[in-house]
Amino acid sequence: MALRLIYPPRCLGCGGLVESDFGLCGPCWRDTPFIGGLACDGCGLPLPGGRPGEVARCDGCLADPPPWAQGRAVILYEGMGRKLVLGLKHGDRHDIAAPASAWLAEAAEGIVAPGTVIAPIPLHWRRRVRRGYNQSALLSRGLARALAAHAVLDLPDLLERPRATPSLDGRQRAERRAILEGAIRVTPRYADRLAGRPVLLVDDVLTSGATFSAATRACQAAGAATVAVLALARVGKAP
């Protein structure tokens, strides 16, 4: 109680006072573009219309199906959603990971089976050293805790990047895929841990899906039964 008086809980978006830790105030909650209603079962992109329980795919996933089985996202990468992601990714805002993990757990409903391996998209070691942490690992660890009742297996170092790759910002889909070809692999000591097991991959942002695709193929090559992907944010229209 005394600690709360000295350090009262603050809104993740604007820093204003809120009633509970790790929350958003009313205005910031309204300004956060949470994805609700019908969304693409493959990439989490919001879709117009829809009926309760309907499963649909966006035009992009129908024309070029992703290698993973199902995909979900929590918020759109715009406005307050973009601010939260950038704070977590580049602003050392570790406090965002806890509520974001709870949001991810809600979004994961229906795509997590007992015994699922949960793993983040990895950073190359040089980038991780420069940043000091992997934001996707913060999310995946919090998600694994939130889904503990499902007996999930948290493997934060399941995947690795054996070589550095340039930034994907501003690059087209085909170029992103070419850059990431063979850039992600299963860490050798886990090579025999995925056979017949479902995997859920976690990242901060889903844009074209190139990074998730490379990670999915690595898991499939190691014998994963199924692979699903989950992102905190979804870019509204992939380049």
Side-chain angles (χ1 to χ4, degrees):
M1 181 64 72
L3 192 61
R4 280 181 172 272
L5 292 175
I6 299 173
Y7 301 106
R10 298 280 180 175
C11 171
L12 296 169
C14 67
L17 294 175
V18 292
E19 294 183 358
S20 61
D21 291 323
F22 311 120
L24 293 165
C25 67
C28 286
W29 182 271
R30 290 192 297 271
D31 289 344
T32 303
F34 287 98
I35 296 174
L38 184 64
C40 176
D41 189 55
C43 69
L45 189 70
L47 298 174
R51 300 179 299 277
E54 181 179 355
V55 176
R57 295 254 168 164
C58 68
D59 291 343
C61 286
L62 288 174
D64 186 13
W68 60 82
Q70 292 177 290
R72 299 286 186 275
V74 175
I75 54 181
L76 286 173
Y77 188 66
E78 59 187 45
M80 184 59 71
R82 184 173 185 273
K83 179 179 179 179
L84 292 173
V85 170
L86 291 180
L88 173 65
K89 188 170 185 175
H90 298 299
D92 205 23
R93 290 286 309 278
H94 292 213
D95 55 316
I96 294 172
S101 296
W103 301 338
L104 286 167
E106 290 187 22
E109 183 178 352
I111 64 171
V112 176
T116 294
V117 173
I118 295 181
I121 294 297
L123 294 177
H124 186 264
W125 70 268
R126 289 196 187 94
R127 183 168 296 178
R128 188 175 64 251
V129 168
R130 287 198 302 269
R131 188 172 297 168
Y133 61 97
N134 178 358
Q135 72 282 354
S136 298
L138 296 179
L139 294 173
S140 69
R141 178 155 292 176
L143 175 64
R145 292 193 187 110
L147 297 176
H150 293 270
V152 297
L153 178 60
D154 177 26
L155 290 182
D157 55 347
L158 172 70
L159 300 172
E160 63 181 12
R161 290 187 186 239
R163 60 181 174 84
T165 54
S167 171
L168 301 180
D169 291 345
R171 300 178 186 271
Q172 297 301 308
R173 182 188 299 266
E175 190 177 6
R176 289 168 179 256
R177 290 181 176 177
I179 289 172
L180 289 168
E181 182 68 31
I184 298 176
R185 69 183 183 189
V186 172
T187 304
R189 67 177 174 275
Y190 293 128
D192 60 349
R193 298 287 296 274
L194 295 189
R197 301 194 65 157
V199 176
L200 178 61
L201 300 174
V202 180
D203 204 3
D204 55 346
V205 181
L206 195 167
T207 304
S208 69
T211 304
F212 270 136
S213 292
T216 295
R217 293 189 178 96
C219 291
Q220 291 169 337
T226 59
V227 179
V229 304
L230 180 61
L232 175 57
R234 177 71 167 94
V235 173
K237 186 176 181 180

